[in-house]
Amino acid sequence: MAEYAILLDTRFCTGCNTCFYKCVQENRLHDVAANGNTRTLVYINDKGMYHHRCMHCLDPVCVANCPKQALTKSEYGPVLWDESLCIKCQTCVEVCPFHIPMFDETQKKIVKCSMCAHRNFAENKDAVPACVEACPTGALTFGERKAIVEQAQKLAADFKLHIYGLEENGGTSLLILTKEDPAAVGYPEVEKKAAAGGGGKSPAVIGGAVAGGAAVVAAAYVGLKKYAERRNQVENDDKK
Amino acid sequence: MNNDLKLSRRTFLKLTGLTTAYFVVDPPLRNLSVAYAFGDHPQEKPTYTVTKKIPQVCARACECDCNYDVVVGVDQATGLERALTLEGRPEDPVSRGKYCIKALGFVDSMYNPDRLLVSLKRTNPKRGLNEDPGWVKISTEDAVQEIIDKLKKYRPEQMLFASPGDPYSNRLCRSLGVTRTDQRTECFGTHYYLNSLMITNPPNKYYSSTYTVTHSLWGFDYSETKYMLWFGFDSFSKTGKSGILNHIVEGKRNGTKIVAFNPLKTPLADGIIDEWYPIKPGTDLAVTLAMIKIILDEKLYQADFVKDYTDAAALIDTETKMHITDESGKWLAWSTANNKAETLGVCDKPALDGGPYTVDVGGKQVQAVPVLELLKQNVKDCTPEWAEKISEVPGQDISRITKEFAQAAPTVCIPNLKRDPAGPNYANSWRLMHSLNILQALTGSLDHDGGVLFLHGVKIPWLEEVDPIPKPYPEQPKKSIDYRTEYPVTNKIYREKDYSAPGHYGMVGHGLYHSDQVKVVIFKGPHRGLHALIQPQMTEAALEKMDLVADWNMYPDDAAYWCDYILPAPHQYEGGKLDIRQYYPKWPCLVGGAPVQKPPGDCIGWGSIAKKIGLALAPEYWTTDGSNNPEKAIKGNMNDAALQAVGAAKDQDDFINNKNAIWIDKKPYENYKTIREIGYQRPEGRVRLYIDEFVEDNHEGLPKWAERWTSSEGEYKFSLLVTRAGWHMHADPNFIDNPVINMLSNKNHIDCVWVNPEAGKELGLQEGDEVIVTTNPKYMPELPRPIKSKIHLTERMARKDCILLFHGIGHRSKWLKNGVWGYRDGDLIPQKNPKIGKPHDPTGMGWVEDVYVSIKKA
């Protein structure tokens, strides 16, 4: 199965938030959106349009830290959330370096983009996420991640744009092109790493496909690494 | 935004605890067993199942009128079938498969629990914001009958219908002989009247009764044009207009150059605009006059077009200042070949400059000069350096941009729609609109592929054309409550050419408040009018003294406090529609819409109300035989007639059910053909640069520099800018009573007053401070109503001398339970005293933003 990604070219984003409202309707999120909890929302900031939405990391911190595997990274791109497994601990809300998952107190739900996985674009080649379908200017495009990366790199080179998401947290399945420094626009400054090999499949997916031993090693590595990072962070916090 | 991943000690301990618990309870390999076969994950399950898709045409969200499908399905969460969302129709040449957030909002507003589904009648005779009307339910039939019985007691001049000029409103008002006025003055007025006076000369063969009746005959070929000048065109509201945006972006991707003049840095300036100049508010006219001068001095105009399709060579009498005509009324020009005046069109080598020429007119020798020569003299002092001093746009840039623009002609355009500076924003905006049209004429871009596209090859007839009236309508009142009778330029068009022309909403509140002439006001959706726009407090005070106020509305909005009756209106998706593609008329095209559901409750359509009132009070205009027999009521099959005229379908049902609700004739655009068909002096139609009617009203026939009405004085030093979020439409409850939309506004500071950070600093203000904004009392001597709001300090406010308010966010209706009581921009904008206004503007439009205000910490 191909791995998919979204490209957001903020040059053509007008902040109209049609993507936001389409997402609300597509996923029937009216109540949580009214509470301020959204899967995607565009902030009209001084230096450009900041889209608050899941980056669908290749190596998602939320997935690695979710104690119940309620969050998983699918092999075709989106990071998905299973309400039935979620214990509402909000670990994902705390650990996401992009500050994306939101917790709706009234419905006790994690609110985070699913890349419209229900549209079945993995099997239906004409299907795209609802936001991509609705964007009036075509600022959002959708396709196989490899092609999206190539498109982003070409546009960045041709028009001197920044690419956000290529290296942030080891790469993501949402790539964002900005004219200004992404940090100035409002995108969080996230540690840059080399892209994860193999597209950053979730432990669950890997477990289903290869011998579990490799996954255990991977999981242990990720866990230890996160633990070390967090310890360093806490130590740094304590020093402040 | 916190950009770093930071964990508190508490969080770390929480995570550690959870992780430990997890490893104890669930072994590490457990997570490998929860893999989902594709399609099994809960988020891979559809949230709804589609049952049908119904074509619709947007009619209230903006002027684009996008065509799309309303998707009806079963919501998995509730099991109920309802309209859920929209899907694009790629075949529509305007929307091209897109729609906007407002249109999506309309889907949900069908089910807004605050919708009015029954008629209401007041029992407390005292009106006012703090009074409980004591509503009682009444059947709509009974309510309409009671209104009719009351209307019988009043003379026509005692009644005012506040309604757009749709076919039924027009026929009703004309048959009763009452004044109709509407809010589109502020949106379209200046554009409409200048276009009428220069180009369209209504009624013309494409004069259509469309649903939004925007009165613009043209669209802009954004996707094909090479160069665009935007004078405030990129207001925030444009950021949400998908029917325009999808074309603009295609053009941009094809290399269109866009230069914008706007004191506000809108999102379009972030990525789409090539050059942006933070112009001083109300000075755009100076820049355009300089541009005209450069084009004339350097002969950069399209000479063939100017000669053959405009009045540039027509002679103006130097004494009367009017066009000189031959005996048949045709304009005369000076033949340089024969050294005499000849009829323009057959004139051999007409002079574009020089003079004065001596012309024999009916045996009298007069001195005359060609229009283009007069224009040249008019702008002789308008150098780029002069314009720079006024506008603060660098003169060298004005010069360069003008040459680039002229070199790209005729595939250039200056989009000017609705509330950009060429709209009715300043007292000099009518001159600006005149200048912009002249620039487009000089560059030959009017009625040209890649420039300004003119509607052609299709029309939707007016009611009178399918159901002719048996005798002329009665005279309108001699004295109109909106003072239009005191403005001969616009009044002549309204009375003699186009009754659907915009009224003078910028003054109607003044008229109602300062006289006792009117006793009855009938509103058609006032949230789009009196209470959303100019000085509603004056209208409110005036309504308190009325005998009868009735409102046809989807919601009990602000006007409800003053209404005696409110009749429930259907939702825009609950009616059938037919529409021309007015805002991208590259090809003759018709699109249709079908009702998504039957109007619920006791809702009544406006056409039905108009028919009932008309049949009761002026039956001879509402029956086919002049009787008062309802069975003989006119049918009003305008849609069927339009479809049959082009062979699109036999009727509306056939069009919707069998023709995919679209008809389009994709033949190549024939440049300048429509000008010939509709312009002045038709059938050899031309664009008229020089406007005699202005001269007759003691103004100039060509644009000249003029200051704004107001100026900065003391603490009132901030020019008031007004724009609208991409997700609002006036104070329409379809949006402001939507909690999801309100959340979005809050996140984006749309509910704040926007202030330049430096200006805020000088005032000692910080982000989020509450402030009081007050209009200079010199320009608002009566009923001032300062507004209170939080401020947002933002670099998008590029200038320190202006502040920005968002239009249409405020309301005071306690019956809109989801609404937020935001500020109302209109509270700061004075109703205009016509005696003061007339010397500034012969069109008498609104001058909406011609206001200076002060800001103080609350």
Side-chain angles (χ1 to χ4, degrees), chain B residues 241-425:
Chain B
K241 299 191 176 187
S242 58
I244 290 173
L245 284 173
N246 78 80
H247 293 262
I248 290 175
V249 167
E250 183 184 324
K252 186 68 198 163
R253 288 190 161 113
N254 290 338
T256 302
K257 179 162 183 177
I258 303 173
V259 177
F261 305 91
N262 194 338
L264 176 67
K265 182 171 180 273
T266 69
L268 293 172
D270 293 354
I272 291 174
I273 290 166
D274 294 279
E275 294 181 33
W276 164 62
Y277 296 90
I279 191 169
K280 187 174 182 181
T283 66
D284 308 61
L285 174 63
V287 175
T288 60
L289 292 174
M291 288 179 162
I292 291 171
K293 175 178 170 58
I294 293 164
I295 289 174
L296 292 179
D297 286 354
E298 302 192 23
K299 294 194 185 300
L300 299 175
Y301 52 83
Q302 299 285 305
D304 289 345
F305 176 83
V306 166
K307 273 184 197 167
D308 296 341
Y309 292 93
T310 77
D311 67 344
L315 293 169
I316 303 298
D317 185 331
T318 56
E319 191 176 324
T320 65
K321 313 283 188 197
M322 304 282 279
H323 279 87
I324 296 175
T325 62
D326 63 17
E327 289 174 353
S328 67
K330 296 288 183 189
W331 294 325
L332 293 176
W334 187 259
S335 168
T336 56
N338 301 322
N339 215 27
K340 64 174 185 176
E342 295 175 348
T343 301
L344 186 60
V346 295
C347 179
D348 191 7
K349 296 182 181 168
L352 288 173
D353 49 19
Y357 302 102
T358 304
V359 181
D360 186 321
V361 181
K364 185 183 171 190
Q365 301 289 301
V366 301
Q367 300 295 300
V369 177
V371 166
L372 206 69
E373 175 65 29
L374 283 178
L375 183 60
K376 199 187 292 182
Q377 292 171 16
N378 228 37
V379 297
K380 67 181 168 51
D381 298 325
C382 302
T383 63
E385 295 73 28
W386 165 84
E388 177 177 347
K389 284 179 188 164
I390 294 171
S391 67
E392 299 177 17
V393 176
Q396 60 188 18
D397 289 325
I398 295 173
S399 182
R400 173 183 52 78
I401 290 163
T402 305
K403 289 170 191 169
E404 289 174 358
F405 184 70
Q407 281 160 8
T411 49
V412 298
C413 62
I414 311 175
N416 43 359
L417 308 163
K418 286 188 71 176
R419 300 204 62 178
D420 34 59
N425 292 332

Side-chain angles (χ1 to χ4, degrees), chain B residues 468-471 615 618-629 632-634:
Chain B
I469 53 173
K471 60 180 182 179
L615 281 168
E620 62 271 36
Y621 297 102
W622 290 88
T623 52
T624 53
D625 60 358
S627 69
N628 58 1
N629 181 0
K632 299 285 186 182
I634 60 171

